[in-house]
Amino acid sequence: MSLRKFSRPYLVSSRCIEFEACRYNGLIIRSSMVEKLKKHADFAPVCPEVEIGLGIPRKPIHLEKDHEQIELVQPATGYNCTDKMLEFSDSFLKSLEGVDGFILKNKSPSCGVKAVKVYPKGGMSRPWTDGIGLFAAAVFRCYPLTPVEDEGRLRNYHLRENFLTRIYTLADFRQNVSNGDFSDILNFHRKNKLLFSSFSQIHSRKLGRLVSNSKKIPFSKLVQKYGTVMKEMLKNDPLPPANINVLMHSFGHFSRDLNPPEKSFFLDSLEKYRQGRVPLLVNQNLLKSWIIRFNNEYLMDQTFFEPYPEELMEITFI
């Protein structure tokens, strides 16, 4: 049973991931997560390599380092496409509006967000493996506070959980607050209070102060300031101790309603989460069952218990 209605994130994705067979070898990359996300998000697929005229299929390209300069080169032809890629990346990224996240092709010389091979000039020696694709590097420059991941890293449950939480929080903020009024931002902050506490108490308190002084500054400026602090906060990974504090705070709402075995079972499950033996979702769902059972309206409205659609709450993806 879902406790909330979700805004649809607007995501930029590498086109070769579940959208079109446009890899250098003419293949498509399968990702069950991206395929599922299509039902719950809006996508702007892009293949930077095709956009700069390299075609499908095409001779492979790779990154080369000449002193401190990183270049994008097609070894088979000697074609240096660095300038074209930089020009396209800048133009494309500046044309976007309201982007909530990026899902890019892992280890790609254009889209890879980390661990991309970088060859010494000439490409004959052994490569380094600490590079970033040219298009991905432009994404980080233009959108430093926006979630960016690759489809390979998103197979990891914890990385995926954090990414999904971030993009759905940003989408909710963008769609329900950016064009609203003071009451909308107050409501947004109220329903995200527990979620924000799990990310950072310092940032959460700062957001609370902004909301409490909301009528002292123009709404557009408030939205800008609030959005910046929130995005900075969401770049942190929620740690188990912070999540446990939120879970225990929520558990306190039912301390008089539960019998001793129920309390004991929850506390045992919480200890298993602390030890890394069960995911956060187990404890969230335990509390959610009591939220529904006792009709706790305050907790029922808290995004912490369902930060993204239930269909995406899977432990494994392939």
Side-chain angles (χ1 to χ4, degrees):
M1 176 180 177
S2 178
L3 299 183
R4 59 179 290 203
K5 182 179 179 180
F6 293 91
S7 300
R8 290 177 67 87
Y10 179 47
L11 306 174
V12 174
S13 170
S14 293
R15 191 182 299 160
C16 63
I17 306 173
E18 290 292 355
F19 286 96
E20 185 180 341
C22 60
R23 286 278 284 159
Y24 74 94
N25 54 7
L27 298 179
I28 192 170
I29 301 300
R30 295 300 177 187
S31 167
S32 57
M33 179 191 163
V34 171
E35 188 62 25
K36 280 181 174 286
L37 261 176
K38 288 181 181 180
K39 302 175 186 177
H40 304 280
D42 299 316
F43 280 87
V46 61
C47 178
E49 296 176 22
V50 171
E51 293 293 340
I52 64 171
L54 292 181
I56 310 169
R58 55 190 172 274
K59 300 291 184 182
I61 58 176
H62 70 210
L63 297 176
E64 289 189 4
K65 186 174 183 179
D66 184 14
H67 300 293
E68 295 305 313
Q69 178 72 26
I70 299 294
E71 298 180 335
L72 194 59
V73 177
Q74 194 173 52
T77 64
Y79 175 51
N80 188 320
C81 49
T82 307
D83 290 342
K84 274 202 168 184
M85 182 60 74
L86 292 174
E87 181 182 345
F88 166 75
S89 300
D90 184 64
S91 174
F92 175 78
L93 294 171
K94 286 182 178 178
S95 72
L96 298 172
E97 292 184 8
V99 177
D100 301 307
F102 293 80
I103 302 176
L104 303 178
K105 177 68 191 79
N106 74 320
K107 299 184 180 180
S108 159
S110 57
C111 292
V113 302
K114 58 171 50 183
V116 180
K117 291 181 180 179
V118 182
Y119 293 83
K121 186 67 175 177
M124 300 302 294
S125 302
R126 191 171 183 175
W128 300 282
T129 56
D130 60 351
I132 299 174
L134 238 58
F135 177 78
V139 170
F140 287 126
R141 287 194 301 272
C142 293
Y143 291 88
L145 297 178
T146 301
V148 181
E149 279 294 357
D150 66 51
E151 94 291 353
R153 282 169 52 84
L154 287 176
R155 295 189 188 101
N156 178 284
Y157 172 75
H158 296 291
L159 293 175
R160 184 171 66 251
E161 182 180 50
N162 191 31
F163 179 78
L164 291 171
T165 297
R166 292 175 69 194
I167 63 173
Y168 276 94
T169 302
L170 293 178
D172 197 32
F173 180 77
R174 176 175 54 81
Q175 295 183 21
N176 292 295
V177 171
S178 296
N179 297 317
D181 55 27
F182 290 110
S183 63
D184 292 312
I185 202 164
L186 285 168
N187 183 56
F188 177 84
H189 183 74
R190 180 189 57 78
K191 70 182 183 180
N192 283 286
K193 193 170 182 180
L194 295 184
L195 179 68
F196 291 170
S197 293
S198 73
F199 274 89
S200 167
Q201 287 284 351
I202 293 173
H203 286 83
S204 182
R205 285 193 291 268
K206 191 172 182 179
L207 290 170
R209 288 194 295 269
L210 282 171
V211 168
S212 65
N213 295 319
S214 60
K215 304 221 172 148
K216 296 181 181 179
I217 59 176
F219 182 72
S220 59
K221 190 173 183 180
L222 171 65
V223 168
Q224 182 182 17
K225 284 187 173 183
Y226 189 99
T228 298
V229 174
M230 180 183 66
K231 289 177 181 179
E232 289 173 348
M233 175 189 66
L234 292 175
K235 291 200 75 172
N236 302 314
D237 290 336
L239 298 175
N243 281 326
I244 289 171
N245 286 340
V246 173
L247 292 166
M248 283 300 297
H249 170 78
S250 304
F251 178 63
H253 284 255
F254 309 108
S255 59
R256 296 181 180 179
D257 302 310
L258 301 174
N259 60 45
E262 287 176 311
K263 294 178 183 179
S264 177
F265 182 80
F266 176 77
L267 293 174
D268 180 60
S269 179
L270 204 62
E271 177 60 21
K272 289 177 181 177
Y273 167 67
R274 188 189 66 79
Q275 296 173 359
R277 295 166 56 195
V278 299
L280 175 64
L281 179 61
V282 170
N283 294 284
Q284 287 172 316
N285 278 343
L286 268 175
L287 284 167
K288 192 158 71 169
S289 70
W290 294 329
I291 291 169
I292 295 169
R293 174 178 160 190
F294 298 112
N295 194 30
N296 188 300
E297 294 184 3
Y298 170 71
L299 293 179
M300 195 172 292
D301 211 24
Q302 289 296 309
T303 60
F304 175 81
F305 296 102
E306 196 176 344
Y308 50 85
E310 281 186 338
E311 188 176 346
L312 301 175
M313 291 182 180
E314 296 193 16
I315 302 300
T316 59
F317 272 94
I318 58 171

